[in-house]
Amino acid sequence: MRWRTLLLQYCFLLITFLLTALEAVPIDIDKTKVQNIHPVESAKIESPDTGLYYDEYLKQVIDVLETDKHFREKLQKADIEEIKSGRLSKELDLVSHHVRTKLDELKRQEVGRLRMLIKAKLDSIQDIGMDHQALLKQFDHLNHLNPDKFESTDLDMLIKAATSDLEHYDKTRHEEFKKYEMMKEHERREYLKTLSEEKRKEEESKFQEMKKKHENHPKVNHPGSKDQLKEVWEETDGLDPNDFDPKTFFKLHDVNSDGFLDEQELEALFTKELEKVYDPKNEEDDMVEMEEERLRMREHVMNEVDTNKDRLVTLEEFLKATEKKEFLDPSSF
């Protein structure tokens, strides 16, 4: 439904999960015209982990709100600003008693979970005499002053917290990868210090050999180029590369048929390219590095294709991108 798309332009990593629960607008595509099409994914869409520490709570609240007819109708008509500003949260006062009771229980469970996290942290540093209620203030996705009732303030805080956190999610991932690289290199150098001169030279030689081996891989197509998408069309979809059609490709890989390619659906397109470079069986291939490269590929394609910067690629945006010179000739990027 429309409200889900609006909300998830900001909470983008939840989009796959949210859209599967509602009846999507039918897409006009006759897949029988393309021979031997195999499903790209199973019909069952797994709920993605947003990486937020309140991920499960967020999903459960949305699930419960969907069951209220009045709130659902309001959400269908809401725009982005109504959702972000908190005006929509006021509609919570009109939901059914049954829904409010479920939301109250979810909040109590979440507060209990947070208190357990605080206790575990305090126990680990052997700190006592701390005010647990005061420590709850550090969590900004719920109103800690009323731990037993889910109110409009809670919905407002949850939406704003998720919006802010998810908008910075990619930046956080990049920063974590940089720290990972630095730590890996630091540990390697510290290990070399423990070795004799002879052993150290052997390890350095092995390290350089592994780097060369990692760099020796098949040609990697430019992400989002025609060559790259045609390879997916042929090897993943099992279709004749001579029949490549951008519109059909889009609809095949719009796994949840919501009319958009979201960030997870885009990242799935790069698997074949990444498999050319990274193999979990090879010592020289770092799987953490592979996921960082997947993120960079997705960011590059989004920057080129997502013209309105809403973190979703429409069919129109996708088709316009395939008309660009860069799509046919990646060297012009």
Side-chain angles (χ1 to χ4, degrees), residues 9 48 51 94 112 115 136 144 150 175 292 307:
Q9 286 171 343
L94 302 177
R115 284 174 172 162
L136 281 171
H144 69 280
F150 189 101
E175 290 173 350
E292 171 70 6
T307 55

Side-chain angles (χ1 to χ4, degrees), residues 224 229 244-251 261 266 269 301 305 313-323 327:
L229 299 187
F244 177 75
D245 176 64
K247 186 175 181 179
T248 302
F249 182 92
F250 179 96
K251 293 176 179 179
L261 291 182
L266 277 178
L269 300 180
V301 172
V305 181
V313 176
T314 64
L315 175 59
E316 181 182 3
E317 289 174 327
F318 184 77
L319 293 179
K320 282 185 178 179
T322 63
E323 297 170 358
F327 180 71

Side-chain angles (χ1 to χ4, degrees), residues 14 113 121 132 138-139 160 169 191 209 232 289 323 328:
L14 276 175
R113 184 183 73 87
K121 183 175 180 179
H132 285 214
Q138 66 185 292
F139 303 112
K160 289 179 178 178
Y169 186 75
Y191 172 67
E209 287 176 7
V232 174
E289 182 183 282
E323 297 170 358
L328 300 173

Side-chain angles (χ1 to χ4, degrees), residues 210-239:
M210 287 174 61
K211 284 180 65 176
K212 289 180 181 178
K213 188 176 179 182
H214 172 69
E215 292 167 358
N216 183 24
H217 54 72
K219 176 188 174 184
V220 175
N221 293 309
H222 195 89
S225 66
K226 185 176 182 179
D227 288 342
Q228 191 254 313
L229 299 187
K230 280 184 70 175
E231 192 167 287
V232 174
W233 172 274
E234 180 179 10
E235 298 188 16
T236 302
D237 303 334
L239 301 175

Side-chain angles (χ1 to χ4, degrees), residues 113 165 167 195 270 329:
R113 184 183 73 87
D165 291 344
E167 283 178 344
L195 304 177
F270 310 133
D329 181 15

Side-chain angles (χ1 to χ4, degrees), residues 139-152:
F139 303 112
D140 58 2
H141 65 288
L142 50 71
N143 178 16
H144 69 280
L145 296 176
N146 186 356
D148 298 316
K149 294 290 183 182
F150 189 101
E151 301 168 319
S152 59

Side-chain angles (χ1 to χ4, degrees), residues 101-315:
T101 300
K102 284 187 175 181
L103 291 172
D104 290 345
E105 178 59 26
L106 286 178
K107 183 178 179 181
R108 285 193 289 270
Q109 291 175 2
E110 178 68 358
V111 171
R113 184 183 73 87
L114 296 176
R115 284 174 172 162
M116 288 181 65
L117 289 175
I118 291 171
K119 183 179 184 302
K121 183 175 180 179
L122 294 179
D123 287 346
S124 70
I125 60 177
Q126 296 183 338
D127 200 348
I128 59 175
M130 295 295 290
D131 183 352
H132 285 214
Q133 187 67 17
L135 288 172
L136 281 171
K137 291 181 181 179
Q138 66 185 292
F139 303 112
D140 58 2
H141 65 288
L142 50 71
N143 178 16
H144 69 280
L145 296 176
N146 186 356
D148 298 316
K149 294 290 183 182
F150 189 101
E151 301 168 319
S152 59
T153 304
D154 290 290
L155 181 57
D156 186 32
M157 293 178 70
L158 183 58
I159 291 174
K160 289 179 178 178
T163 297
S164 175
D165 291 344
L166 291 174
E167 283 178 344
H168 294 89
Y169 186 75
D170 287 350
K171 181 180 178 181
T172 300
R173 284 178 63 183
H174 286 310
E175 290 173 350
E176 289 177 350
F177 179 71
K178 287 179 181 177
K179 291 178 183 177
Y180 166 79
E181 279 192 315
M182 290 173 63
M183 181 58 68
K184 186 171 73 169
E185 178 61 16
H186 171 73
E187 290 177 350
R188 188 183 75 84
R189 293 185 179 185
E190 289 298 309
Y191 172 67
L192 290 176
K193 290 178 182 179
T194 67
L195 304 177
S196 65
E197 184 68 22
E198 182 180 353
K199 287 288 185 181
R200 191 179 303 123
K201 288 181 179 179
E202 290 178 4
E203 284 295 324
E204 286 287 11
S205 176
K206 179 182 177 183
F207 178 70
Q208 294 302 323
E209 287 176 7
M210 287 174 61
K211 284 180 65 176
K212 289 180 181 178
K213 188 176 179 182
H214 172 69
E215 292 167 358
N216 183 24
H217 54 72
K219 176 188 174 184
V220 175
N221 293 309
H222 195 89
S225 66
K226 185 176 182 179
D227 288 342
Q228 191 254 313
L229 299 187
K230 280 184 70 175
E231 192 167 287
V232 174
W233 172 274
E234 180 179 10
E235 298 188 16
T236 302
D237 303 334
L239 301 175
D240 187 335
N242 296 320
D243 294 331
F244 177 75
D245 176 64
K247 186 175 181 179
T248 302
F249 182 92
F250 179 96
K251 293 176 179 179
L252 281 172
H253 292 273
D254 174 18
V255 179
N256 55 10
S257 300
D258 64 351
F260 302 94
L261 291 182
D262 61 46
E263 296 188 337
Q264 286 195 323
E265 288 167 335
L266 277 178
E267 288 188 2
L269 300 180
F270 310 133
T271 298
K272 282 293 177 184
E273 298 304 313
L274 293 167
E275 286 178 347
K276 297 176 183 177
V277 184
Y278 300 94
D279 185 340
K281 298 177 182 178
N282 295 338
E283 184 182 2
E284 67 274 10
D285 297 337
D286 188 334
M287 295 298 104
V288 176
E289 182 183 282
M290 182 188 77
E291 291 307 316
E292 171 70 6
E293 190 59 33
R294 188 192 301 274
L295 173 58
R296 291 172 183 169
M297 287 180 168
R298 186 254 291 164
E299 287 180 323
H300 171 77
V301 172
M302 274 292 188
N303 287 335
E304 295 295 324
V305 181
D306 179 25
T307 55
N308 66 355
K309 306 304 177 186
D310 65 355
R311 297 182 180 271
L312 298 169
V313 176
T314 64
L315 175 59

